């Protein structure tokens, strides 16, 4: 289903394709050439159909439009670099100052802009003319980066009451005698439960088992030494059974940063 409304005279109406029960990802396309603007939108919609993902797409004709838009916050922004009023590099710099989490991807026909793009934390570049295969690869990378920045609020029913903990603050989860211990930035909290339940709850937030007793947040892995992983300064054993999958998960996570 599509829904849209016009927010400003020079803005293109947002386009939304909805899949029931799916998270909606907010994407901006900033491109002064109508043909490329429509092509990127069509590619995003095609990607959403193929992967059953929901996107709320807002399109802008110039960098200044998105900089002056105080209504929207985006997960991903595709910036054309060469635009007349405010180019994509300048606009991305302005956006980055107020949003350190948004994923920025540049659209350009000049690959030499890549070095300059690192100054605003750009993830990648899409080269013109745009082909769908290359675009979909970068879309996947962008979504992986978005998911790494997401966090889950967990309400723990502890022995002393209720405690709110965010997945991004958890170093690892330990199981002992059907008690889950959440080791976090602010302390250790416990509640009754199973490791299977913890895995299901945290699977989408980059938690992987290193052995039967520990579920590790890959964000806090700093080193692997033989059969030991260092998590926020804590040495945890990697079991022989879990080693291959765990090391692969760590490698994939680091490679996607």
């Amino acid at each position: 289903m599509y829904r849209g409304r016009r927010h400003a005279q020079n803005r293109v109406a947002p386009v939304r394709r909805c899949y029931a029960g799916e998270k909606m990802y907010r994407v901006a396309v900033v491109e002064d050439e109508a043909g490329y603007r429509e092509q990127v939108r069509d590619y995003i919609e095609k990607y959403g159909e193929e992967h059953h993902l929901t996107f709320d797409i807002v399109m802008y004709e110039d960098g200044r439009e998105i900089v002056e838009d105080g209504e929207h916050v985006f997960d991903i922004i595709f910036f054309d670099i060469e635009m007349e009023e405010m180019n994509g590099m300048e606009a991305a710099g302005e956006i980055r100052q107020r949003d350190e989490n948004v994923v920025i991807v540049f659209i350009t026909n000049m690959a030499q802009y890549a070095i300059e793009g690192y100054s605003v934390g750009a993830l990648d570049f899409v080269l013109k003319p745009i082909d769908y295969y290359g675009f979909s690869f970068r879309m996947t990378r962008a979504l992986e980066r978005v998911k790494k920045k997401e966090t889950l609020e967990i309400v723990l029913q502890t022995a002393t009451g209720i405690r709110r903990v965010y997945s991004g603050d958890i170093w690892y989860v330990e199981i002992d005698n059907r008690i889950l211990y959440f080791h976090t930035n602010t302390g250790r909290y416990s509640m009754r439960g199973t490791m299977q339940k913890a895995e299901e709850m945290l699977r989408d937030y980059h938690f992987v088992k290193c052995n039967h007793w520990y579920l590790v947040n890959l964000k806090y892995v700093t080193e692997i030494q033989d059969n030991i992983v260092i998590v926020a300064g804590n040495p945890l054993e990697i079991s022989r059974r879990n080693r291959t999958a765990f090391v692969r998960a760590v490698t994939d996570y680091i490679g996607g940063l």
Side-chain angles (χ1 to χ4, degrees):
M1 178 175 66
Y2 292 100
R3 291 181 291 176
R5 58 190 177 91
R6 190 171 297 278
H7 295 279
Q9 184 175 0
N10 296 322
R11 292 273 305 285
V12 181
V15 178
R16 182 174 299 168
R17 179 177 290 278
C18 299
Y19 291 97
E22 291 286 344
K23 170 183 169 60
M24 179 178 292
Y25 292 97
R26 300 155 298 176
V27 182
V29 180
V30 189
E31 167 64 70
D32 61 347
E33 294 186 55
Y36 280 121
R37 193 166 59 243
E38 297 294 330
Q39 183 182 28
V40 173
R41 183 198 64 183
D42 291 345
Y43 281 177
I44 295 171
E45 292 176 359
K46 180 178 179 180
Y47 186 94
E49 291 172 353
E50 290 179 350
H51 296 270
H52 292 90
L53 296 173
T54 302
F55 295 103
D56 187 0
I57 308 167
V58 182
M59 300 194 290
Y60 302 83
E61 297 177 5
D62 188 82
R64 188 164 300 282
E65 291 182 1
I66 189 170
V67 168
E68 294 178 351
D69 178 10
E71 181 180 351
H72 292 87
V73 176
F74 296 101
D75 297 305
I76 304 169
I77 303 177
F78 289 93
F79 273 111
D80 179 27
I81 290 183
E82 298 177 284
M83 294 180 286
E84 290 187 6
E85 187 172 348
M86 176 181 280
N87 68 45
M89 202 67 71
E90 292 174 320
E94 294 278 347
I95 294 293
R96 180 59 78 206
Q97 289 181 24
R98 67 189 192 216
D99 188 344
E100 63 180 18
N101 290 319
V102 64
V103 176
I104 294 173
V105 179
F106 285 113
I107 304 169
T108 181
N109 54 12
M110 303 181 70
Q112 62 263 37
Y113 281 118
I115 295 177
E116 189 177 351
Y118 290 124
S119 66
V120 295
L123 172 69
D124 212 331
F125 285 76
V126 175
L127 290 177
K128 297 179 179 178
I130 305 170
D131 69 276
Y132 180 70
Y133 176 80
F135 178 87
S136 63
F137 174 78
R138 285 158 179 81
M139 192 69 184
T140 297
R141 287 195 66 205
L143 287 169
E144 288 174 349
R145 176 68 64 85
V146 169
K147 291 175 182 177
K148 282 182 172 61
K149 296 175 182 294
E150 291 176 346
T151 188
L152 172 70
E153 184 185 70
I154 303 170
V155 179
L156 301 179
Q157 299 285 345
T158 68
T160 57
I162 294 176
R163 178 80 189 191
R164 294 182 184 273
V165 175
Y166 292 92
S167 60
D169 295 331
I170 299 171
W171 300 339
Y172 60 93
V173 182
E174 179 184 2
I175 184 78
D176 184 24
N177 197 25
R178 296 187 66 83
I179 301 294
L180 291 170
Y181 295 93
F182 292 79
H183 298 257
T184 78
N185 292 332
T186 56
R188 189 181 79 158
Y189 309 102
S190 62
M191 65 176 289
R192 294 194 65 83
T194 64
M195 183 58 81
Q196 181 180 355
K197 183 175 181 180
E199 283 187 271
E200 292 173 354
M201 180 169 52
L202 295 167
R203 182 175 292 116
D204 293 334
Y205 301 91
H206 314 289
F207 282 75
V208 180
K209 285 172 66 174
C210 65
N211 62 39
H212 180 75
W213 297 277
Y214 296 108
L215 182 65
V216 172
N217 187 343
L218 300 182
K219 173 182 175 181
Y220 293 102
V221 171
T222 57
E223 189 176 354
I224 294 178
Q225 305 170 349
D226 297 325
N227 66 332
I228 298 295
V229 57
I230 308 300
V231 185
N234 300 279
L236 305 178
E237 183 181 354
I238 307 171
S239 69
R240 181 179 300 177
R241 178 179 180 180
N242 291 89
R243 178 176 175 78
T244 300
F246 182 77
V247 172
R248 183 186 301 117
V250 172
T251 302
D252 291 345
Y253 180 84
I254 294 173
L257 290 176

